[in-house]
Amino acid sequence: MTPVLPGSVDSAGQRATLGVLGGGQLGRMFVHAAQRLGYFTAVLEPDAQSPAGRVSHYHIQTDYNDPAGLAQLAQLCQAVTTEFENVPAQALQTLALTRPVAPGAAVVGIAQNRIEEKTHFTACADVSGVRCAPYTVIETPAQLQAVQHDRADLLPGILKTARMGYDGKGQVRVKTAEELAAAWAELGGAACVLEKMLPLTAECSVLVARGWDGQVVSFAPQRNVHVDGILAVTHAYEENMPPALAGSARDAAVSIAHHLGYVGVLCVEFFVVEGGSEHGSLVVNEMAPRPHNSGHYTLDACDVSQFDMQVRAMAGLPLPTPRQHSPAIMLNLLGDVWFDSNGGRREPDWLTVLSLPGTHLHLYGKLDARVGRKMGHLTITGSDVASVKTVARRAAGLLGLPGLDDI
């Protein structure tokens, strides 16, 4: 690919423009990163009030599969990316006929389907060194019966829909064959995977950036804490997990990216399970073909953020090895923060929170706070881990945030 240079103008007078499918907070932060480098940006998103659409040079307000909208995006842009994995893969295929698209439709399609995703992880396990949790596919009543009779070893387990499951959605914990049958019926008989529940000690993720030429760099692994299936806290500092385990996670994520022929920013999530070694062992959980919630700390704690990397990768620019200059803890801000214990609307105490040292508030421009909705994040940085933890506890207490019991 010929690099798309920041601030460049072609022979027709068109300025270098990067496009993104999706108008949420990840798109917004991508747009800000691209604009800071000097690119124009275009967002294709049906919501007139989307966070990304309202800050972009161009907002094409149409459905993701609209031929006219896709043609307009291709006409405006020299390269295109996506901000979430559930954008229709066909839209990416259409754009790729005339423009570089990163990540590509085939890779996004794998991430959209847990069955295909686990098939990929299994195929590259000998190279990556990590495997999935034991699982089986349930798409038919016959497969359900086979599990009930022959795969009792998978129970207790978690039944997950193959498509459209994220932040704990489309998942049911089951202990018995009867509960499994009821859960599959509750999920409408959709294609699912049943995963064996494992004794988890921690969860972590790794962000990888890979260019068109195969160059790859990565951030250090983050340790994550989820509450009700939604990321609540990310710990990003050198002591967040044992070095050997962190190195294995990093190597595995890079291997997975290479095996996919990936271009762009990829997040690979892992479970740390008991047994296998002094510090436990890694099991690969899932991947996100985009910047990730757990990587938001890079905006304030690193010299190059995950969104800078996404811009550089898709535009064909060099990928510098990122340097984290400060230990950090990221607190996810859901709409719950805007409501008191009685459900009454309130404004968070930002004055007190922002008086704390090393606090960096990022609100996503969403106009309506709702319980469970991602509204922003707060990153705390400092000169040492102890001070970062102290401030994080204080901020979490002021905002009523969960997930900090372990620090």
Side-chain angles (χ1 to χ4, degrees):
M1 173 186 168
T2 301
V4 181
L5 299 179
S8 60
V9 182
D10 65 17
S11 58
Q14 182 169 327
R15 296 187 177 276
T17 303
L18 301 180
V20 58
L21 287 172
Q25 64 266 19
L26 298 177
R28 181 186 181 95
M29 287 180 271
F30 168 84
V31 164
H32 284 153
Q35 291 175 348
R36 187 167 57 251
L37 267 176
Y39 292 102
F40 273 38
T41 59
V43 170
L44 192 152
E45 160 64 44
D47 182 3
Q49 298 298 326
S50 71
R54 289 192 290 114
V55 299
S56 182
H57 294 89
Y58 306 102
H59 178 193
I60 303 169
Q61 187 187 345
T62 187
D63 183 78
Y64 300 123
N65 274 325
D66 177 56
L70 293 173
Q72 185 181 357
L73 187 67
Q75 189 276 326
L76 285 170
C77 300
Q78 283 73 56
V80 179
T81 189
T82 177
E83 68 123 24
F84 71 121
E85 57 266 45
N86 287 322
V87 66
Q90 180 59 50
L92 298 174
Q93 289 179 328
T94 299
L95 290 165
L97 295 174
T98 56
R99 290 290 181 265
V101 175
V107 175
V108 173
I110 292 173
Q112 289 176 346
N113 188 316
R114 282 195 172 95
I115 298 172
E116 294 186 25
E117 184 179 60
K118 290 183 180 300
T119 299
H120 167 73
F121 288 151
T122 301
C124 66
D126 290 340
V127 177
S128 70
V130 295
R131 299 185 182 276
C132 307
Y135 77 97
T136 192
V137 174
I138 300 177
E139 296 178 287
T140 66
Q143 288 174 320
L144 175 65
Q145 291 177 0
V147 172
Q148 292 171 323
H149 291 117
D150 303 324
R151 294 301 308 271
D153 60 308
L154 293 177
L155 297 171
I158 306 177
L159 186 67
K160 301 180 179 181
T161 55
R163 291 186 176 273
M164 301 302 290
Y166 62 95
D167 289 342
K169 300 179 178 67
Q171 302 185 18
V172 183
R173 297 191 176 207
V174 294
K175 297 179 180 178
T176 65
E178 292 75 20
E179 288 183 1
L180 173 62
W184 193 56
E186 178 185 332
L187 294 173
C192 290
V193 294
L194 173 66
E195 293 180 11
K196 182 179 178 63
M197 288 184 65
L198 300 175
L200 305 187
T201 62
E203 298 180 55
C204 66
S205 59
V206 178
L207 291 158
V208 171
R210 187 175 184 275
W212 296 95
D213 60 356
Q215 180 196 4
V216 64
V217 296
S218 62
F219 293 88
Q222 304 88 229
R223 181 166 63 87
N224 303 318
V225 178
H226 290 79
V227 176
D228 296 330
I230 301 176
L231 181 66
V233 183
T234 292
H235 298 261
Y237 42 82
E238 192 171 347
E239 308 96 314
N240 68 349
M241 55 190 299
L245 208 59
S248 296
R250 203 168 191 166
D251 291 345
V254 170
S255 294
I256 289 168
H258 279 313
H259 194 269
L260 286 165
Y262 194 85
V263 178
V265 169
L266 175 73
C267 180
V268 183
E269 297 182 75
F270 301 91
F271 295 139
V272 182
V273 300
E274 294 177 355
S277 71
E278 177 185 0
H279 300 296
S281 57
L282 291 174
V283 171
V284 62
N285 177 32
E286 60 187 25
M287 63 184 181
R290 52 171 172 78
H292 191 261
N293 199 170
S294 66
H296 289 344
Y297 76 94
T298 62
L299 289 163
D300 303 300
C302 299
D303 57 355
V304 182
S305 78
Q306 63 171 341
F307 300 99
D308 296 325
M309 287 296 193
Q310 182 76 344
V311 172
R312 284 171 172 261
M314 67 180 292
L317 302 181
L319 300 178
T321 300
R323 179 181 66 88
Q324 185 170 346
H325 51 71
S326 304
I329 291 177
M330 190 278 296
L331 306 176
N332 210 14
L333 302 176
L334 302 182
D336 309 50
V337 174
W338 278 258
F339 297 90
D340 61 27
S341 58
N342 296 318
R345 176 74 186 222
R346 68 175 182 185
E347 286 301 315
D349 187 4
W350 299 130
L351 284 178
T352 304
V353 169
L354 294 176
S355 71
L356 300 173
T359 52
H360 309 269
L361 178 63
H362 298 261
L363 297 182
Y364 301 150
K366 297 181 180 180
L367 303 182
D368 180 27
R370 298 194 298 269
V371 172
R373 189 184 195 192
K374 293 177 181 176
M375 298 296 294
H377 68 270
L378 181 74
T379 300
I380 297 94
T381 61
S383 59
D384 59 85
V385 175
S387 63
V388 169
K389 289 183 176 181
T390 297
V391 174
R393 290 191 197 98
R394 175 66 175 147
L398 288 167
L399 296 171
L401 300 177
L404 281 174
D405 298 339
D406 63 338
I407 68 170

